[in-house]
């Protein structure tokens, strides 16, 4: 190219768009139960029987419609965890904290959430959800503040 | 079905490319791919491209980049996923007999925004996004589950990084072209533990283009093609918690489809090379297992045996893989270009004697939800 190198290389900008996301019946019922009752509901697949938490409208295992919701937990087992050392914008907890995949009692899938950076958070450990006070809940997955060690080890880690 | 050859390919230098726009990257790589097989844009029937609107910060961004890829006044379709999916799409269009030639383009400039936010935007708004789960955190959960389930040692992913960085040191297009030691990897900064900085792919700008042609056109060209022997693509469930996260079920399904079509019954014997998308080092070990190079849980053993290094029985990522350059969206198409260069007899320096069949693999989504495979032979 015959042009000489420009004195301007970048232009700053942002893409911003606000949404009102429709939850649908299944997700909306799940989030409302967190807010109003401090309970975790799982979707029950009418075809393959998979109990999935958090629930989706259609079974992620066989593709059938999920028509029934059932309470699971509150205790669950840590299936994996990962440690976050540094804070970042929009982080769900103050660093250091741990991401956890928790399988609540009675469920066949795992819920992604956070936990304190505590040695009690390890694969096979039993944890329980700590809900935010009722007046701080907004009908979101973050109405559960995090999962904390229950003090008891589960079988067969 | 018409036989299809990959007749031309090119990739850009990968890195933080401050002077390149999306268009300039695309324009150059398209022209290089076309000239590598003596074709012009006027010889192309259909253009299939891969890009990410979020990465580009523009909606339906091909509307803007169409000029640079020469797709105006032609049929054009875009894949919102890795360029290897675009390659499969183009392959099928030609194999069907409806088109004679196709241009496949993939590009990404991850340096222009925040890779963390970009990957966060892939998540659903209800369950994962409020948790701030990005690609690295999802991969870290996968890594720990995998390593725990099979008793994989802490050094195993680091050894993948050492192997691939050594290979990348000979790749002139790589972003990271220096070797690293096991100690350097193990002592590198934890990102989201257990993943360390040197076990994660860099933030990369880059592009790749390949040209495909049906048998008749391919044989009329002056250059030898890499013939497509098979392809496959599969998705896993979206929610990481709804998958068996210590396994790569979608990769196994994609590979099985490609193997069936290509008549591959024993991948580690029938394939001479694999180029895979290991955005995080542990994923290469998982891929050894999912792609059938070894038994489940034996990935570390295969790595330590040296079978997947240069000169081994079934080398993986002689280019250095994604750990040396990860132009998101183009990474898997780069794998195809690398595979073609190694097996096609074009009188160029890239071919390795004795190599005739290679497989390229691409991944997408959190913790490798999706997988695509394409097998080429010289
Ligand atoms: Zn089901």
């Amino acid at each position: 190219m015959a042009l000489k190198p420009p004195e301007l290389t970048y232009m700053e900008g942002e893409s911003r768009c606000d949404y009102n996301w429709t939850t649908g019946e299944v997700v909306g019922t799940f989030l409302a139960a967190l807010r109003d009752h401090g309970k975790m509901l799982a979707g029950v697949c009418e075809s393959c029987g998979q109990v999935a938490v958090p629930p989706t409208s259609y079974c992620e295992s066989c593709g059938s419609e999920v028509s029934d919701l059932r309470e699971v937990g509150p205790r669950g087992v840590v299936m994996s965890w990962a440690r976050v050392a540094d804070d970042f914008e929009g982080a769900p907890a103050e660093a250091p904290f741990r991401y956890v995949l928790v399988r609540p009692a009675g469920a066949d899938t795992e819920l992604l959430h956070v936990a304190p950076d505590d040695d009690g958070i390890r694969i096979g450990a039993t944890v329980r959800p700590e809900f935010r006070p009722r007046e701080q809940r907004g009908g979101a997955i973050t109405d559960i503040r995090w999962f904390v060690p229950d003090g008891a080890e589960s079988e067969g880690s | 079905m018409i036989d299809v050859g990959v007749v031309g390919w090119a990739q850009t230098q990968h890195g933080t490319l401050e002077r390149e726009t999306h268009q300039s990257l695309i324009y150059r790589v398209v022209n290089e791919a076309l000239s590598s097989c003596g074709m012009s844009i006027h010889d192309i029937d259909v253009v299939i491209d891969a890009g990410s609107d979020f990465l580009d910060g523009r909606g339906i961004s091909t509307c803007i980049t169409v000029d640079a890829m020469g797709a105006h006044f032609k049929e054009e379709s875009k894949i919102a996923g890795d360029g290897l999916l675009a390659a499969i799409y183009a392959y099928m269009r030609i194999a069907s007999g409806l088109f004679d030639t196709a241009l496949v383009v993939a590009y990404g400039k991850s340096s222009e925004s925040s890779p963390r936010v970009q990957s966060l935007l892939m998540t659903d708004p209800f369950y994962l996004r409020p948790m701030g789960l990005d690609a690295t955190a999802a991969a870290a959960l996968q890594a720990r589950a995998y390593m725990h389930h099979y008793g994989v040692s802490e050094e195993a992913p680091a050894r993948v990084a050492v192997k691939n960085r050594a290979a990348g040191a000979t790749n002139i297009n790589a972003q990271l072209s220096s070797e690293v030691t096991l100690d350097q990897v193990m002592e590198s900064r934890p990102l989201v533990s257990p993943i360390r900085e040197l076990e994660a792919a860099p933030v990369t700008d880059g592009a790749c283009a390949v040209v495909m042609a049906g048998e008749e056109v391919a044989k009329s060209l002056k250059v030898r093609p890499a013939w497509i022997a098979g392809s496959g693509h599969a998705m896993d469930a979206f929610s990481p918690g709804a998958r068996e996260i210590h396994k790569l079920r979608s990769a196994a399904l994609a590979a099985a489809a490609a193997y069936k079509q290509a008549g591959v019954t024993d991948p580690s014997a029938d394939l001479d090379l694999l180029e895979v998308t290991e955005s995080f080092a542990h994923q290469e070990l998982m891929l050894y297992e999912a792609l059938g190079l070894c038994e489940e849980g034996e990935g570390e053993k295969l790595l330590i045996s040296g079978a997947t290094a240069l000169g081994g029985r079934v080398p993986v990522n002689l280019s250095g893989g994604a750990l040396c350059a990860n132009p998101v969206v183009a990474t898997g198409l780069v794998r195809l270009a690398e595979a073609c260069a190694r097996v096609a007899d074009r009188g160029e320096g890239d071919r390795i004697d004795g190599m005739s069949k290679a497989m390229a693999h691409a991944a997408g989504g959190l913790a490798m939800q999706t997988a695509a495979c394409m097998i080429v032979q010289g």
Side-chain angles (χ1 to χ4, degrees):
Chain A
M1 193 182 311
L3 301 176
K4 66 177 187 182
E7 289 167 13
L8 183 152
T9 306
Y10 290 117
M11 194 185 80
E12 279 186 31
E14 67 171 331
S15 296
R16 194 196 154 88
C17 194
D18 294 324
Y19 293 84
N20 278 310
W21 278 301
T22 304
T23 59
E25 263 178 63
V26 168
V27 176
T29 305
F30 171 80
L31 295 176
L34 291 181
R35 180 189 62 195
D36 300 337
H37 308 293
K39 286 181 177 174
M40 291 185 289
L41 299 182
V44 183
C45 174
E46 59 187 21
S47 175
C48 76
Q50 173 167 278
V51 180
V53 64
T56 49
S57 303
Y58 305 95
C59 177
E60 285 190 274
S61 182
C62 78
S64 299
E65 200 158 351
V66 170
S67 53
D68 190 24
L69 293 172
R70 151 194 322 169
E71 187 182 355
V72 292
R75 285 176 177 73
V77 176
V78 175
M79 305 301 279
S80 191
W81 61 275
R83 182 178 187 268
V84 178
D86 304 312
D87 280 312
F88 58 88
E89 197 186 329
E94 208 174 297
F97 68 90
R98 297 184 182 196
Y99 280 110
V100 282
L101 284 171
V102 175
R103 181 171 297 191
D108 299 318
T109 72
E110 289 120 41
L111 181 101
L112 181 284
H113 219 281
V114 291
D117 184 32
D118 181 313
D119 283 344
I121 299 297
R122 57 176 179 272
I123 293 178
T126 300
V127 290
R128 61 183 160 80
E130 194 177 287
F131 279 83
R132 293 183 192 280
R134 178 67 187 82
E135 66 277 9
Q136 286 177 22
R137 295 182 206 157
I141 191 76
T142 47
D143 286 355
I144 299 173
R145 183 185 172 213
W146 55 13
F147 282 78
V148 295
D150 191 46
E153 288 290 311
S154 79
E155 307 294 313
S157 66
Chain B
M1 210 164 83
I2 311 284
D3 277 345
V4 180
V6 181
V7 295
W9 53 84
Q11 56 181 299
T12 61
Q13 172 69 45
H14 304 295
T16 303
L17 307 176
E18 293 197 329
R19 298 228 171 262
E20 301 283 358
T21 64
H22 297 104
Q23 276 96 333
S24 67
L25 274 179
I26 292 166
Y27 187 75
R28 189 140 40 79
V29 83
V30 162
N31 280 299
E32 281 177 24
L34 287 166
S35 64
S36 77
C37 55
M39 288 173 76
S40 99
I41 193 67
H42 305 295
D43 300 320
I44 298 296
D45 292 340
V46 56
V47 177
I48 313 285
D49 47 280
S52 160
D53 289 359
F54 270 127
L55 208 56
D56 295 357
R58 299 145 208 202
I60 318 179
S61 60
T62 26
C63 292
I64 304 171
T65 50
V66 65
D67 57 345
M69 56 184 71
H72 37 319
F73 316 123
K74 292 187 195 303
E75 182 160 329
E76 181 273 343
S77 282
K78 175 177 170 169
I79 292 279
D82 192 277
L84 193 58
L85 294 175
I88 291 176
Y89 189 173
Y91 161 49
M92 288 177 174
R93 300 213 120 186
I94 299 172
S96 72
L98 293 172
F99 298 83
D100 291 327
T101 57
L103 169 68
V104 183
V105 195
Y107 65 95
K109 282 206 75 190
S110 292
S111 76
E112 289 192 348
S113 70
S114 156
R116 207 192 66 73
V117 174
Q118 287 295 333
S119 66
L120 188 58
L121 290 171
M122 288 195 298
T123 57
D124 76 282
F126 307 112
Y127 296 152
L128 297 185
R129 204 177 298 184
M131 305 312 300
L133 187 81
D134 72 348
T136 307
L141 288 163
Q142 175 189 52
R144 186 166 328 263
Y146 167 69
M147 292 163 74
H148 177 88
H149 195 90
Y150 298 108
V152 176
S153 81
E154 235 193 297
E155 290 82 27
R159 288 185 200 281
V160 171
V162 170
K163 172 182 81 72
N164 289 0
R165 289 288 295 269
T170 63
N171 177 354
I172 54 166
N173 297 308
Q175 176 175 8
L176 301 179
S177 53
S178 59
E179 298 195 24
V180 292
T181 65
L182 185 61
D183 284 347
Q184 280 174 312
V185 181
M186 292 298 288
E187 283 158 23
S188 64
R189 188 170 63 94
L191 296 179
V192 180
S193 305
I195 292 176
R196 303 173 182 85
E197 188 172 15
L198 293 182
E199 294 166 347
V203 176
T204 307
D205 304 335
C208 183
V210 308
V211 181
M212 290 183 188
E215 193 175 0
E216 200 179 310
V217 174
K219 285 186 171 163
S220 74
L221 298 171
K222 291 200 177 83
V223 289
R224 293 259 190 96
W227 296 101
I228 298 173
S231 71
H233 168 223
M235 305 284 287
D236 205 332
F238 171 73
S239 310
R243 298 181 218 159
E244 285 188 289
I245 202 170
H246 60 279
K247 286 186 198 176
L248 299 175
R249 190 173 174 187
S250 58
L253 290 169
Y259 292 158
K260 188 177 173 199
Q261 192 188 348
V264 168
T265 52
D266 178 357
S268 67
D270 299 347
L271 296 175
D272 300 307
L273 167 74
L274 289 93
E275 280 284 335
V276 305
T277 299
E278 46 18 314
S279 309
F280 299 94
H282 70 277
Q283 293 173 340
E284 184 169 309
L285 301 170
M286 297 181 76
L287 285 165
Y288 293 167
E289 301 166 24
L291 303 181
L293 304 184
C294 63
E295 295 297 315
E296 203 177 306
E298 304 277 291
E300 180 177 13
K301 206 184 278 181
L302 186 71
L303 175 75
I304 288 174
S305 77
T308 59
L310 177 63
R313 187 163 46 87
V314 55
V316 177
N317 281 340
L318 291 182
S319 65
L323 289 175
C324 294
N326 187 31
V328 170
V329 179
T331 304
L333 194 63
V334 170
R335 307 273 76 71
L336 179 65
E338 292 286 347
C340 291
R342 303 294 186 174
V343 299
D345 186 5
R346 295 163 84 93
E348 293 166 9
D350 293 334
R351 181 167 184 259
I352 297 181
D353 275 344
M355 283 201 179
S356 66
K357 200 174 275 184
M359 184 161 87
H361 157 271
L366 292 176
M368 306 183 104
Q369 181 194 358
T370 77
C373 294
M374 183 174 274
I375 298 171
V376 288
Q377 57 191 30

